[in-house]
Every structure is written in structure tokens, then in C-alpha cells.
Amino acid sequence: MAEDRRAGGDVTQPAPQQQPLWRRYQEPDDRGLIDDVCDGLRLITEPGPDDPGQTIALAIVGAEAAEGLAAALEAEWSLYTPQQAAVTASALFAQIAAAGAALEKLSDCLDTMAERGEITVPDYDGAGEAERLCTAQTVLGATGQVAFGAIDAHDCDGAVDILATTPYTGPLPVSTHETFVRLAGMLGDSAKLIPGCRPPAEAVCAARDYADGCGCRIELTDHDGIVWDFHRSDSTWYLMPLADVTPSGRPLAGKELSMTEVCPHPQHLALLVQQTLAAAV
């Protein structure tokens, strides 16, 4: 399956022995969000951790990321397509396998400390601290084996392949121009599309479309009669008031939408616009 912007990235099917999908995934329009998020981690992981502080940091960041992902997936718009679900599943399967291997290696760390003579040697037949350490070591090793053993590579690869090849017929735009047109239609009479490119939309290179869109914008009138300008600039979706204050005299300020997608699902974008407007006034 070739690269498909509607699918949310490059989900080309793997040849035998290729890297897993999550390693091959390419962000649409090279927006670099994944690199931005992972750069700090790679400062440690690519050369390898040099000290306990870095090792512990990796463990804590992994836990925060896993908890954050679990919370994110509760949202209706956390993912748009089966192809995006395929990338996410591929990464999660890798996390489980890696966590299992890490727990087993953590068990081995206790033996290394004991060999240095810096802790009591773990021993079930021992007493006191030796028995307690052996209990902890057994739990680490057994949990690691269960986690690692839960991953059947063939089944996991099959599930990822099914998701990656599942047809998607949702209304994802293919350009920011189409995004503006669809959003204006969804927002109804309160929205007015202000063309900034000649119909049909001028061809815009991916870099410009990502950063500044097609040049179109939308004027939105809220329930207080205040007009807002919705546009894309500097790789960000903005809502800017065309007035300085509300009718009651309260100052108004522009808002950035919490949306990184260049061509988001129109319903999702409409919801974010409405929520941002409601919070702004």
C-alpha cells in the first residue's frame, strides 16, 4: 500500500524481515512532530545511557508516555483511520516486548550488584534480606517473561497488516484549501469563507500548505456578534478576533488551536473551533 495522506502517513506494507511499521512510519508533510517529541530521548538512547540517572529517566518517560497514550485513546478523535491504528498497535506491541525484556534485565542487575559485593546475594534458601531480594528478583523475572511471552510476533504482525490494509472512506481533506471549504460548510451561517486562492485552488507545495495553507480564511461570528478570523500561519491554526474588546468591554485575544494535523477530520476541527471560541469569550 503506497503512501496515503488520507491514512495519516506512510504505511507501505513490509517485505519479509523489514523493520516493524512503527519504525518505518513517516509523518505526512514531514511535519516532524515525532522527531520533536523523541529528540530528548534519542540524546540518551542513540549512544546508550551512561549512568543510572539516564536509565531511570528512560523508565519514567516510558511510563508517562504509556499512561498518556492510554488516556489519549479514550478520546473520540484520538485516531482517524485504521492505518493510524496500525502504526499505534505496532508501537504498542514493541513496547510490551521491550518492557518484558527490560524487566528480565532488571532482575539480572541484582545479580550484578551482588557480584560486586554491594548487596546481599539473592537466595530463596537464605534468610532475611537474601530471601527478600530473591522474592523481588523472582517477581521481576517472572513478570518480564509473561510480558515478553504475551507477544506472538506472527499474530501481532497479522493484526497490524489487517489494520494497515483496511479500507477507509472517511472525509479527510487532501489540502488545507479543502479543509477550509469543508469546515465553512460545517459551521453553517456563522461562517464565511474568504477565498485567498483562485478556484480551483492553486497548486501549493507541501511545505507551504503545511506552514501557511492555501491563503484562504474563514470569518466566524460568535453568539455575541464578535467576528473572528480563522486561518493557518506558521504551521498553526489560529482564531484571531477582529475586535479588541467584547461588547461588555472585556479584552479579546487570539487563540491557537491544539491541532497539529495539516488536514484534520472536518468534524474534529469544527469541534475544536467551537470549543476554542466558547473558551475565548
Side-chain angles (χ1 to χ4, degrees):
M1 186 174 182
E3 184 173 351
D4 184 353
R5 289 180 61 188
R6 289 179 179 270
D10 185 347
V11 290
T12 304
Q13 287 303 291
Q17 307 306 317
Q18 270 194 342
Q19 291 182 325
L21 182 59
W22 70 273
R23 283 199 179 276
R24 294 180 287 111
Y25 177 72
Q26 296 178 9
E27 291 178 273
D29 307 302
D30 297 322
R31 63 174 165 260
L33 177 61
I34 292 174
D35 283 339
D36 289 344
V37 172
C38 293
D39 275 350
L41 282 175
R42 290 168 181 162
L43 290 174
I44 298 176
T45 58
E46 288 183 354
D50 292 323
D51 56 57
Q54 293 180 357
T55 301
I56 293 170
L58 290 175
I60 292 174
V61 168
E64 287 201 9
E67 288 184 351
L69 176 59
L73 289 171
E74 293 179 1
E76 177 184 0
W77 297 105
S78 60
L79 296 171
Y80 294 157
T81 72
Q83 289 70 37
Q84 292 170 341
V87 178
T88 306
S90 176
L92 282 170
F93 290 144
Q95 286 182 41
I96 295 171
L103 281 167
E104 290 191 84
K105 292 177 180 179
L106 186 57
S107 170
D108 295 339
C109 283
L110 294 177
D111 288 330
T112 300
M113 295 175 196
E115 288 172 1
R116 294 199 301 256
E118 295 167 352
I119 65 170
T120 303
V121 177
D123 184 0
Y124 253 137
D125 295 328
E129 194 63 25
E131 184 179 12
R132 282 163 45 83
L133 277 172
C134 194
T135 298
Q137 187 179 48
T138 299
V139 170
L140 293 175
T143 304
Q145 290 176 8
V146 169
F148 194 79
I151 298 299
D152 183 303
H154 182 270
D155 288 347
C156 292
D157 287 346
V160 169
D161 289 347
I162 290 170
L163 292 171
T165 55
T166 297
Y168 177 73
T169 58
L172 290 186
V174 297
S175 66
T176 51
H177 179 76
E178 187 177 340
T179 300
F180 279 112
V181 172
R182 293 194 183 191
L183 179 64
M186 283 191 164
L187 294 174
D189 294 339
S190 65
K192 179 182 179 182
L193 179 65
I194 309 298
C197 55
R198 296 188 301 272
E202 293 177 339
V204 177
C205 70
R208 182 190 159 200
D209 198 47
Y210 165 55
D212 297 318
C214 64
C216 294
R217 59 190 182 86
I218 295 175
E219 289 188 356
L220 294 164
T221 304
D222 66 23
H223 62 275
D224 291 323
I226 300 168
V227 180
W228 296 76
D229 180 85
F230 178 74
H231 64 279
R232 185 166 181 81
S233 179
D234 300 324
S235 306
T236 305
W237 296 104
Y238 289 101
L239 267 174
M240 303 297 293
L242 299 184
D244 295 327
V245 296
T246 66
S248 62
R250 188 164 61 86
L252 288 169
K255 300 291 182 180
E256 296 181 13
L257 266 65
S258 57
M259 166 64 70
T260 63
E261 295 292 312
V262 180
C263 303
H265 194 294
Q267 287 177 263
H268 187 198
L269 186 58
L271 177 63
L272 283 179
V273 167
Q274 291 164 344
Q275 289 176 339
T276 304
L277 266 184
V281 297

